[in-house]
Amino acid sequence: MNVPQGNLLRKRVVTDLATPLSQALDASVTGYARLEPGDTLLLDAEGVGVITFEDGVPVVAYHSGADSGGADALADIAVAGPSRVALYELDGDALAQLHDADELRVPPGLPAERLAGDPALAERTREAAPASRAAEREREQDGLAAVEQFLDDGDRIADIRERARDQAATRAEEWGFDLPGT
Amino acid sequence: MPAFIPESEANVGMVEVFAVASGKGGTGKTTSTMALGMALADEYDVTVIDADTGMANMLFHAGLADADTSLHDVLAGDAPVEAAVYNRFGMAVVPCGTSLSGFQQAEPDRLRTVVATLAADTDVILLDSPAALGSRSAVLPIVLADSVVVVLQPTIPSLSDGLKVQEYATTYGTDVAGILFNRVTEDEAIDRVATKTEQYFEGETLATVPESDAVRAARRAGEPLLAHAPESTPAAAYREAATRLTVHDRPVDPVADRFRSAVIPDHS
Ligand SMILES: Nc1ncnc2c1ncn2[C@@H]1O[C@H](COP(=O)(O)OP(=O)(O)O)[C@@H](O)[C@H]1O
Ligand SMILES: [Mg+2]
């Protein structure tokens, strides 16, 4: 996925992804957020996530590490955890082509639901979405239904666990821990 | 415990160290640490330690905001462990200060000595742990513990973070004592979510604790939930959770050894 370079609005380390999502919503940002894992050592393995916005409402999501789009990309971003987030402003026309890619689109409230676990922010985002996105809004699962769907994806969860184990082992070495049984 | 072992000796050998952990802040680790501690204190000698030394808040949950000496002083080498132990609510409470300078002067590795020292005198230690896995000091409580209680909110990021906590713990030789859902608002669906979640965790669901005004009121009053609102629904849920925690008998020498030499090489 190629995103044209935008105007940097802000860049910060966040522990809760509700922060950039609500900032984009409150400022009605048209542009995109670039999300990197907080730990640059893991950057190669984890990749970078991108979420685009139209008037503050998320439109598409992509993750470079997994080469995933849409809801899958959100899960990959969620798994990468707390991040360095840069929010860019970009002309709506520059995003138009990207926004036509159906496989990358996400329902308006889904990022808040999946990345922030914040149903109130998700609801606020759905309310801000234009009428043209009513159909997507309808399809969206909220609250625990989204959590159940996540839990039904055994492969993804196995992947999260495996990556965490690798990370834990790599860091043990870095931190000078002797692992049991080694 | 066999009857022929004298009472005093029997007690010396028994300590179980739990880390109360989650990948994310605000899930209710401190609330849970205090509640589980009070529930276990009916049966055991319990010590709770605020090992979340960068974001400490146990002092506010335990009415110890004015405490003179805290874990920070102990970790800085400025006070003996005993000076930071306060007997409150039927437990020994070791609060931690909130100042940045206190955090900066603390030597995180000293936590091991603190735990080993207190272990000699108590049955159960609960370590209120940091909501992070990104640094050596943040994972230390999980490394030192026998097992971890993973506090979860029923959201995707919280579950994903909780899974990471589990994998770090098991990689470092620490068991999973169980999972605890906190701040639950949807009653019907949570049972399905809990059942599905259990498939992926190596411990059972200890309880599902509702989002409740009683919890917030207790925090405002500077009291643990079980002292402030013992009859409330969340308090009952925590008592239930405590009954599901297994407190093992561990002989005293291996215990001391565990903390001396286990995973962390001695730097001193
Ligand atoms: N079940 C609950 N219902 C309502 N509020 C809760 C609940 N559990 C925790 N809280 C509140 O959430 C805040 C964070 O809880 P705390 O235990 O300090 O979390 P942590 O230690 O994980 O950061 C506190 O204000 C606490 O009163
Ligand atoms: Mg806390």
Side-chain angles (χ1 to χ4, degrees):
Chain A
M1 172 170 129
N2 275 321
V3 188
Q5 180 69 40
N7 251 335
L8 182 64
L9 292 175
R10 60 198 311 164
K11 188 169 192 161
R12 57 183 298 188
V13 173
V14 298
T15 52
D16 186 344
L17 291 173
T19 310
L21 292 173
S22 63
Q23 279 168 354
L25 181 64
D26 293 340
S28 286
V29 170
T30 295
Y32 61 95
R34 189 176 186 279
L35 305 101
E36 290 177 13
D39 187 338
T40 42
L41 280 175
L42 302 168
L43 187 57
D44 285 345
E46 306 267 343
V48 171
V50 173
I51 298 172
T52 67
F53 302 92
E54 225 165 65
D55 296 327
V57 178
V59 184
V60 305
Y62 176 75
H63 194 268
S64 73
D67 193 26
S68 55
D72 283 349
L74 293 180
D76 289 316
I77 293 169
V79 167
S83 338
R84 289 186 295 163
V85 179
L87 194 59
Y88 295 87
E89 200 168 38
L90 187 61
D91 192 89
D93 291 339
L95 291 166
Q97 197 188 351
L98 197 62
H99 286 178
D100 284 340
D102 279 342
E103 70 281 9
L104 301 182
R105 288 185 72 96
V106 289
L110 203 65
E113 206 73 72
R114 301 267 165 118
L115 300 180
D118 188 337
L121 176 61
E123 189 50 37
R124 216 149 58 76
T125 312
R126 284 191 283 268
E127 278 163 12
S132 61
R133 302 192 65 189
E136 284 176 89
R137 230 163 33 202
E138 288 303 303
R139 278 202 308 275
E140 205 174 310
Q141 287 181 321
D142 57 5
L144 291 188
V147 174
E148 279 191 68
Q149 199 181 53
F150 170 78
L151 288 168
D152 286 335
D153 192 346
D155 289 346
R156 179 181 306 288
I157 290 179
D159 186 52
I160 294 172
R161 296 179 63 180
E162 197 182 310
R163 281 205 252 174
R165 277 195 297 274
D166 288 350
Q167 236 180 58
T170 306
R171 285 172 160 173
E173 212 162 294
E174 222 173 276
W175 292 332
F177 293 168
D178 291 326
L179 293 191
T182 59
Chain B
M1 186 87 19
F4 54 82
I5 298 181
E7 177 82 16
S8 59
E9 259 186 68
N11 279 340
V12 165
M14 198 172 85
V15 70
E16 178 87 8
V17 182
F18 297 100
V20 180
S22 72
K24 197 166 167 280
T27 50
K29 286 179 300 300
T30 306
T31 300
S32 302
T33 303
M34 298 306 284
L36 293 173
M38 276 192 70
L40 289 166
D42 285 344
E43 204 180 329
Y44 302 101
D45 277 340
V46 175
T47 301
V48 294
I49 304 177
D50 194 347
D52 189 358
T53 56
M55 298 270 276
N57 65 348
M58 184 181 285
L59 73 175
F60 302 121
H61 287 250
L64 286 168
D66 298 328
D68 282 336
T69 306
S70 89
L71 184 63
H72 271 163
D73 304 300
V74 179
L75 296 179
D78 294 337
V81 180
E82 301 74 40
V85 179
Y86 300 82
N87 291 312
R88 294 288 187 284
F89 309 104
M91 307 179 280
V93 180
V94 182
C96 185
T98 55
S99 76
L100 182 61
S101 65
F103 175 66
Q104 286 167 338
Q105 276 152 35
E107 171 53 63
D109 280 4
R110 288 204 174 105
L111 182 64
R112 181 175 47 137
T113 317
V114 169
V115 171
T117 305
L118 294 171
D121 243 14
T122 196
D123 302 328
V124 175
I125 293 179
L126 292 165
L127 298 172
D128 186 1
S129 307
L133 297 166
S135 71
R136 191 175 188 282
S137 58
V139 300
L140 205 49
I142 291 174
V143 170
L144 292 173
D146 298 305
S147 65
V148 59
V149 173
V150 185
V151 182
L152 300 168
Q153 278 178 250
T155 67
I156 294 169
S158 172
L159 290 169
S160 156
D161 286 342
L163 285 164
K164 292 184 201 171
V165 168
Q166 160 170 278
E167 300 312 322
Y168 270 71
T170 51
T171 301
Y172 298 157
T174 301
D175 295 334
V176 179
I179 57 179
L180 203 150
F181 281 101
N182 189 27
R183 315 200 71 160
V184 171
T185 52
E186 288 174 69
D187 286 348
E188 320 87 56
I190 189 64
D191 290 338
R192 284 200 309 276
V193 166
T195 307
K196 288 182 176 177
T197 303
E198 270 179 6
Q199 295 175 261
Y200 304 112
F201 279 90
E202 286 162 34
E204 62 169 333
T205 303
L206 301 171
T208 64
V209 180
E211 174 81 20
S212 155
D213 284 335
V215 178
R216 281 184 285 269
R219 163 71 180 74
R220 279 195 302 275
E223 285 182 340
L225 174 69
L226 269 65
H228 190 77
E231 304 305 324
S232 62
T233 316
Y238 277 117
R239 277 193 297 269
E240 169 84 26
T243 64
R244 293 174 195 262
L245 285 175
T246 311
V247 176
H248 296 97
D249 291 354
R250 297 180 195 265
V252 67
D253 286 343
V255 166
D257 265 3
R258 188 151 38 102
F259 300 125
R260 213 178 342 267
S261 64
V263 174
I264 303 157
D266 207 314
H267 288 305
S268 51

